Amino acid sequence: MVSLKSNGIVKKSLKVIKSSYTGWLFIMPMILGTILFCAIPFVQSFILAFMDYDMMRPPQWIGIENFKAIFTVDFREVWGSFRITFIYAFISIPVTMFLSYFLALLLNRKIPGMMFFRVLIYLPCIIPPIASAIVWKDIFAPQIGIMNRIVQAFGLPASDWLSSASSALMTIIFMSFWGLGGGMILWLAAFKNIPVDLYEAASLDGASKLRQIFSITIPMSSAMIFYNLINGVIGSMQMFGSFLITDNGGRGPDNSLYFISVRIYQEAFVSFNMGYASALAWILFFVIACMSALLFKHSKWVFYGEDM
Amino acid sequence: MVISKKSSRVIGLAFSYVLLLALIVFFTFPFVFMINKSFMDRIDTSMYPVRFFPRHLYLDNYKGIFEVEMLRWLGNTMYITVFNMIGTPLSSSLVAYGFSKCDFKGKRFFFTMMISTIMLPGVVMQIPMYVIYNSLGWIGTYNPLTIPCLFGGGAMNVFLFMQFMKNIPREMDNAAKIDGANALVRYFYMTLPICVPLILMNVINIFMGCWNDYMGPLIYASSSEDKYTVGLGIYYKFIVAGSEGSFRTPGVKMAIGVLLALPSAVLFFIFQRQLIDGIMIGGVKG
């Protein structure tokens, strides 16, 4: 009886293997990749956060020392980086979302040449960061840069832009406006999915264009608003853009551009404090996860369409 | 005075065009300036107040590019780029074929596993990846920038291929099965040719990604100068402080910026519709 049962299991599993092995073979690269490049590093990163490892001597288990250092001795410095990152996120997310939405509304019309305008507005998003860095450093050069000539032509005072601690962060936010085309494209995609008959019905009822925007376009694209909001939080909390346009590896004048991601990079790949950097990375990850969870909790206003 | 409906529409349209033109001036200003300045000689670039247009077309800045080892950098970049351009679509489509055309046990589990990798935070993964590559002896080689693409090419990419393959009728597959074609043959001779438009898009995106990437080479291949890619070489020779050598005049810097931006810009202009549609699809699905 027992042998018959085990025989059955063997037969059954043989059958499973026979019917499944082609599928398994096809997805084998993905399975291996997930284990090698996702699962193992993910676990290892967590372990590293409790270690002292400089890539020369073997890693040493030091318990919560890394976290202790971050929250005591280095707290002022680390908090400084978080503060800059938060300020950047809290200003740039709403402003960029609003402006790119406005841009999308403006470009969501069927007038001749619209595709051409969209392409040119999106163009800054595909330029290599290195090329942008070269041109930004030149445009925003203190005193003699062309941006100072432009603002002076408008009667505004010249600025030191990236070279002064008081204006560096605002300059970075200003620069990010050239990337508005990326958000705009996503909004346009969302607008495309709004049924046209809604607008037809509204204009039959005599609703003005402005009213249609507030009563149809904005509510119907709320899923995309939420998606962009979450992406904005994840993206700007990992802001790394100051790295290329400053002369000191992304710190900026008086550490005024020392975003937390730049700090993690410096700790890991310049000072080779792998354990300490991992601990910082996990703290950042935790902060991002909390912010996203908070947004999800307050997402009753999002409309996902009737079929969901 | 009563303005007729038609003329008010014309005024509205004219107003939109003026606004759009102002926006275009804003968004293209950095590139126009970069191109202009790449044709300026030393006298032009040191003038005050700053010039926007060159006094005459000065082409020698573009010669300055060949005073660095641009050709070697280009070769290195091409190696990484071509490897990824072949490896990613191949492995992505292979995995996608498995998910969309084969039945096997644990399909749902493996699919969930793959999709959940999208949520892994890049900032956390980057450090242990370096440690792992180091223990494999891959630091200072291009392996970290090439080999990983053979393992599925990323969940998002597999997902894109799956979406595409969903539209290929299953009867086609079954008919070939009856004719005795095995799964690999069906994948290679039937499914892959149908996917060519998607593969083309994929290849362009990968080219632009590899060409624009500086972080990867900076972390993994910056130890020796003969491993520099185009982006990395330019970063070290033209951007980092202390790189103000005799040939690195503002004009040469701009020329090199123009050259770096050119391939991506040209590709984007040729394939703009498909690329923008691709971004839109990714956004709506995501």
Side-chain angles (χ1 to χ4, degrees):
Chain A
M1 199 58 193
V2 175
S3 72
L4 210 76
K5 203 177 171 190
S6 67
N7 201 13
I9 290 169
V10 169
K11 249 190 185 162
K12 209 175 157 196
S13 47
L14 263 176
K15 209 177 151 197
V16 166
I17 289 170
K18 216 176 159 195
S19 68
S20 296
Y21 79 100
T22 17
W24 287 340
L25 281 180
F26 269 106
I27 63 160
M28 194 48 84
M30 187 278 295
I31 297 174
L32 288 176
T34 310
I35 295 168
L36 281 173
F37 301 113
C38 299
I40 294 177
F42 193 68
V43 174
Q44 194 175 17
S45 157
F46 191 72
I47 299 170
L48 266 176
F50 299 95
M51 295 218 170
D52 179 27
Y53 187 38
D54 62 357
M55 309 284 298
M56 309 290 262
R57 287 165 294 140
Q60 231 177 358
W61 183 266
I62 52 167
I64 57 161
E65 285 303 314
N66 286 326
F67 292 95
K68 222 172 170 178
I70 290 167
F71 284 105
T72 54
V73 200
D74 301 339
F75 185 72
R76 271 182 65 135
E77 276 188 37
V78 172
W79 171 244
S81 284
F82 266 107
R83 206 178 68 97
I84 294 162
T85 313
F86 279 132
I87 294 173
Y88 174 78
F90 281 120
I91 298 175
S92 84
I93 295 171
V95 174
T96 0
M97 278 182 71
F98 177 78
L99 287 179
S100 63
Y101 202 89
F102 181 74
L103 215 55
L105 285 176
L106 204 67
L107 277 104
N108 189 35
R109 276 181 301 169
K110 286 195 172 63
I111 57 175
M114 207 37 114
M115 197 60 195
F116 173 73
F117 288 118
R118 287 183 192 174
V119 165
L120 284 185
I121 289 177
Y122 187 70
L123 189 66
C125 298
I126 55 131
I127 298 298
I130 300 262
S132 315
I134 292 175
V135 67
W136 286 139
K137 277 177 94 168
D138 197 282
I139 287 175
F140 286 99
Q143 275 120 43
I144 54 156
I146 194 159
M147 196 46 88
N148 269 336
R149 204 183 149 191
I150 293 171
V151 295
Q152 278 167 335
F154 283 101
L156 298 163
S159 164
D160 281 338
W161 305 111
L162 292 166
S163 313
S164 140
S166 57
S167 57
L169 190 57
M170 288 306 140
T171 308
I172 290 252
I173 293 173
F174 182 50
M175 281 177 185
S176 71
F177 291 168
W178 270 274
L180 289 175
M184 174 194 78
I185 292 290
L186 292 177
W187 299 127
L188 285 171
F191 295 165
K192 235 182 177 174
N193 290 343
I194 302 173
V196 191
D197 40 338
L198 286 179
Y199 292 104
E200 280 162 3
S203 51
L204 275 181
D205 289 345
S208 69
K209 280 265 180 284
L210 198 69
R211 184 64 206 267
Q212 289 179 22
I213 288 173
F214 280 102
S215 302
I216 301 173
T217 313
I218 293 178
M220 289 299 284
S221 60
S222 61
M224 187 59 93
I225 294 177
F226 187 63
Y227 171 78
N228 273 0
L229 188 63
I230 294 278
N231 265 356
V233 168
I234 296 171
S236 52
M237 288 305 289
Q238 295 186 57
M239 170 69 181
F240 196 73
S242 67
F243 182 75
L244 285 175
I245 46 171
T246 52
D247 287 331
N248 50 5
R251 287 191 172 87
D254 292 332
N255 285 356
S256 57
L257 294 176
Y258 208 2
F259 294 104
I260 187 68
S261 278
V262 179
R263 183 179 285 276
I264 293 170
Y265 174 86
Q266 292 286 349
E267 288 290 349
F269 302 113
V270 178
S271 316
F272 289 104
N273 293 326
M274 290 301 188
Y276 186 84
S278 292
L280 275 181
W282 274 96
I283 292 171
L284 175 59
F285 175 51
F286 181 73
V287 171
I288 295 174
C290 286
M291 288 169 79
S292 309
L294 208 70
L295 285 174
F296 267 104
K297 216 181 149 195
H298 296 280
S299 66
K300 285 225 170 66
W301 50 275
V302 181
F303 176 68
Y304 285 105
E306 264 125 27
D307 54 330
M308 284 183 90
Chain B
M1 201 179 106
V2 182
I3 304 170
S4 73
K5 208 173 174 189
K6 199 181 168 192
S7 68
S8 85
R9 260 195 65 190
V10 169
I11 292 169
L13 204 64
F15 180 74
S16 323
Y17 274 118
V18 169
L19 195 61
L20 284 170
L21 238 74
L23 284 170
I24 295 302
V25 169
F26 175 83
F27 279 99
T28 54
F29 161 73
F31 313 110
V32 176
F33 180 68
M34 177 164 74
I35 294 166
N36 282 348
K37 199 162 182 176
S38 74
F39 292 115
M40 288 184 189
D41 59 21
R42 271 161 182 260
I43 301 165
D44 280 348
T45 54
S46 55
M47 270 190 186
Y48 187 81
V50 200
R51 294 190 68 86
F52 185 68
F53 292 107
R55 282 174 308 152
H56 53 86
L57 229 51
Y58 175 76
L59 296 169
D60 278 7
N61 290 331
Y62 285 89
K63 280 186 198 154
I65 291 161
F66 295 99
E67 300 199 22
V68 290
E69 290 183 272
M70 186 56 82
L71 287 177
R72 171 182 287 184
W73 299 346
L74 209 60
N76 292 342
T77 304
M78 275 303 122
Y79 169 74
I80 298 172
T81 310
V82 170
F83 195 107
N84 278 282
M85 275 160 65
I86 297 170
T88 310
L90 208 64
S91 70
S92 287
S93 59
L94 209 62
V95 174
Y97 184 88
F99 275 126
S100 56
K101 300 284 171 203
C102 299
D103 290 311
F104 54 89
K105 212 166 167 67
K107 194 166 168 176
R108 188 175 284 269
F109 168 78
F110 287 122
F111 184 70
T112 315
M113 180 173 105
M114 181 182 78
I115 291 300
S116 61
T117 62
I118 294 174
M119 283 180 285
L120 290 177
V123 66
V124 168
M125 303 297 281
Q126 157 191 62
I127 298 161
M129 285 319 294
Y130 186 89
V131 175
I132 289 172
Y133 291 144
N134 185 53
S135 61
L136 290 170
W138 283 8
I139 303 296
T141 73
Y142 295 133
N143 290 350
L145 305 172
T146 51
I147 305 291
C149 84
L150 299 176
F151 294 91
M156 237 9 245
N157 216 26
V158 173
F159 193 66
L160 268 177
F161 271 94
M162 284 178 64
Q163 292 294 322
F164 201 87
M165 288 179 188
K166 229 161 77 180
N167 298 329
I168 305 171
R170 208 160 178 156
E171 286 78 49
M172 260 178 83
D173 228 41
N174 289 339
K177 210 186 234 169
I178 292 163
D179 289 346
N182 69 31
L184 208 60
V185 170
R186 295 200 302 272
Y187 156 76
F188 200 79
Y189 289 103
M190 283 178 49
T191 312
L192 216 50
I194 298 174
C195 290
V196 163
L198 180 61
I199 292 173
L200 188 71
M201 268 316 81
N202 210 208
V203 163
I204 294 165
N205 273 325
I206 291 159
F207 175 86
M208 281 163 66
C210 290
W211 182 261
N212 292 0
D213 183 29
Y214 68 96
M215 251 336 250
L218 179 69
I219 293 179
Y220 299 121
S222 62
S223 47
S224 68
E225 270 195 38
D226 52 289
K227 289 281 182 204
Y228 284 180
T229 60
V230 174
L232 194 61
I234 291 172
Y235 173 71
Y236 276 120
K237 299 289 178 193
F238 292 93
I239 292 191
V240 169
S243 62
E244 314 293 332
S246 57
F247 62 89
R248 294 153 188 125
T249 62
V252 175
K253 281 189 179 183
M254 291 297 153
I256 220 149
V258 171
L259 224 71
L260 192 61
L262 209 58
S264 296
V266 167
L267 275 178
F268 180 70
F269 275 115
I270 297 173
F271 297 102
Q272 35 162 301
R273 192 166 286 274
Q274 293 90 327
L275 285 174
I276 286 186
D277 282 349
I279 300 158
M280 285 180 164
I281 292 164
V284 174
K285 292 268 150 56

